[in-house]
Amino acid sequence: MKKVTGPVPPPADVYADLVREAAGGDPAAMERLLTRVQEVAWRFSVAVCGHADDAEDAMQEALLKTYRYTSSIREPEAFRPWLHRTVKNACLMNRRKRVHEPPRLESLDQPRADGDGATFDPPDPRRNPEQLVANTRLKGRLQQAMRGLPPSQRAIVFLREMQGLSTREVAQVMGISEDNVKTRLSRARKALQTALERPAR
Amino acid sequence: MTTPRRRPPVARPARRSSAAPPPAACAQADQLWAYLDGELPPARARAIARHLAACESCGACARRLRTMLETCRAAGCRKLPADVRARARERVRALLAAARKKT
Ligand SMILES: [Zn+2]
């Protein structure tokens, strides 16, 4: 097996350019942006809030707010934290509407009733089959492990590890200090690592 | 009946072959994370990279942390179910069409 130990830099901020183009009147960019913000809202709902039924409400909210916000935006770099904060608040609102229901977390790979599996992006063909099997197992474990985290840590893992936001951006989204983000992220990472590496029962 | 499973600490003392050059001090977990996050100054990052190449246990540890990060990144790119995607696109079309009518 190839021994890769180099850094894993977070994905770049793809929003700033898209927002600039959309605000500048490019209809294709606007369409892409509005689609993308709904994808983020869906992923957040499923991975953090655990209420997939509410995902569509959060998507609608992200769509409308982004459309309004884009026409008045001054700092495209501020869009990414703004979007994630908007999505987080939309999910919290939904949760408040259903306080009597126990929280659950939809399986990250759970097949849906209509037969369309909620799947990850196509596997990297450069990886060998054993690795692919291992990856599928890891994804299942990650989803299990996420379930065990306190909600704020789950949100921080989503923002930082899954979406690639900086510590500073995560602090803005969560409304807590950067030190607080680092502490909670480090706890969450330990818990996730333990869960991912626990021998299968 | 069962005792909680203890994980080995993240950075164990180096187990290295006599042929390998003696590595500098083993990296602490937070240093490894800072390295993987690409947050270390270049000189420090190079020192860690050298250590990871020479020290079996730190190298293995870094690969485990890396696997976890990559699993998270993959989950962040998760595809939406086809019906959800179709509704998302429909909402965008409806919104933009309504906006065009207004102007
Ligand atoms: Zn070492």
Side-chain angles (χ1 to χ4, degrees):
Chain A
M1 196 179 76
K2 214 174 118 203
K3 295 193 172 183
V4 194
T5 50
V8 191
D13 179 353
V14 293
Y15 297 100
D17 285 341
L18 205 49
V19 165
R20 237 176 250 121
E21 287 161 25
D26 178 344
M30 179 60 94
E31 218 175 304
R32 255 183 297 144
L33 178 67
L34 293 176
T35 306
R36 192 158 194 133
V37 299
Q38 293 186 77
E39 289 172 354
V40 170
W42 185 82
R43 291 181 185 128
F44 189 97
S45 297
V46 173
V48 182
C49 305
H51 287 288
D53 323 350
D54 290 344
E56 306 264 345
D57 290 342
M59 290 166 82
Q60 175 81 17
E61 182 95 355
L63 170 78
L64 293 177
K65 290 215 161 137
T66 298
Y67 184 70
R68 267 182 240 137
Y69 183 68
T70 309
S71 55
S72 64
I73 193 161
R74 301 248 163 90
E75 271 181 281
E77 279 70 24
F79 183 82
R80 185 161 76 160
W82 174 87
L83 167 66
H84 286 89
R85 197 179 173 87
T86 300
V87 165
K88 191 196 83 171
N89 290 341
C91 288
L92 283 181
M93 289 302 293
N94 289 332
R95 174 158 292 180
R96 250 169 243 139
K97 280 190 246 157
R98 45 163 84 223
V99 277
H100 301 300
E101 277 184 40
R104 61 200 157 76
L105 211 78
E106 196 199 54
S107 154
L108 282 181
D109 276 326
Q110 194 176 62
R112 293 167 49 91
D114 58 10
D116 181 70
T119 52
F120 290 89
D121 273 349
D124 185 343
R126 286 167 300 180
R127 305 247 171 161
N128 62 39
E130 293 94 80
Q131 259 179 309
L132 290 178
V133 171
N135 289 353
T136 308
R137 210 191 53 225
L138 278 174
K139 279 168 203 157
R141 285 186 170 204
L142 174 66
Q143 147 211 323
Q144 278 269 326
M146 283 286 274
R147 247 178 261 189
L149 294 180
S152 81
Q153 286 184 30
R154 218 186 290 156
I156 289 171
V157 168
F158 178 84
L159 297 167
R160 171 82 211 201
E161 315 284 52
M162 299 187 180
Q163 300 295 307
L165 270 66
S166 67
T167 304
R168 194 198 163 100
E169 288 175 322
V170 176
Q172 285 170 11
V173 173
M174 300 296 291
I176 58 178
S177 71
E178 287 186 47
D179 280 343
N180 205 334
V181 171
K182 283 181 195 160
T183 309
R184 292 191 206 188
L185 177 66
S186 141
R187 262 187 225 137
R189 280 173 159 178
K190 261 186 216 128
L192 289 184
Q193 198 201 352
T194 304
L196 287 180
E197 293 176 4
R198 188 177 295 132
R201 278 153 302 170
Chain B
M1 58 233 138
T2 52
T3 49
R5 233 185 271 280
R6 291 236 172 252
R7 302 296 315 165
V10 160
R12 276 164 295 178
R15 176 160 45 89
R16 59 193 139 94
S17 72
S18 51
C26 283
Q28 297 298 307
D30 57 340
Q31 281 282 295
L32 276 188
W33 274 118
Y35 168 77
L36 290 172
D37 288 338
E39 287 173 348
L40 292 179
R44 181 80 192 120
R46 279 195 299 275
I48 297 261
R50 273 197 303 277
H51 181 81
L52 295 182
C55 174
E56 205 180 297
S57 73
C58 288
C61 177
R63 280 192 296 279
R64 296 205 315 270
L65 299 188
R66 203 174 198 282
T67 300
M68 183 182 121
L69 252 186
E70 287 172 341
T71 306
C72 285
R73 292 281 153 75
C77 304
R78 208 184 147 193
K79 255 172 95 177
L80 272 59
D83 60 328
V84 178
R85 244 179 310 153
R87 280 196 295 275
R89 270 199 297 267
E90 193 39 56
R91 272 194 288 268
V92 173
R93 256 183 239 130
L95 176 71
L96 293 180
R100 267 195 297 275
K101 237 183 233 169
K102 255 193 232 166
T103 52

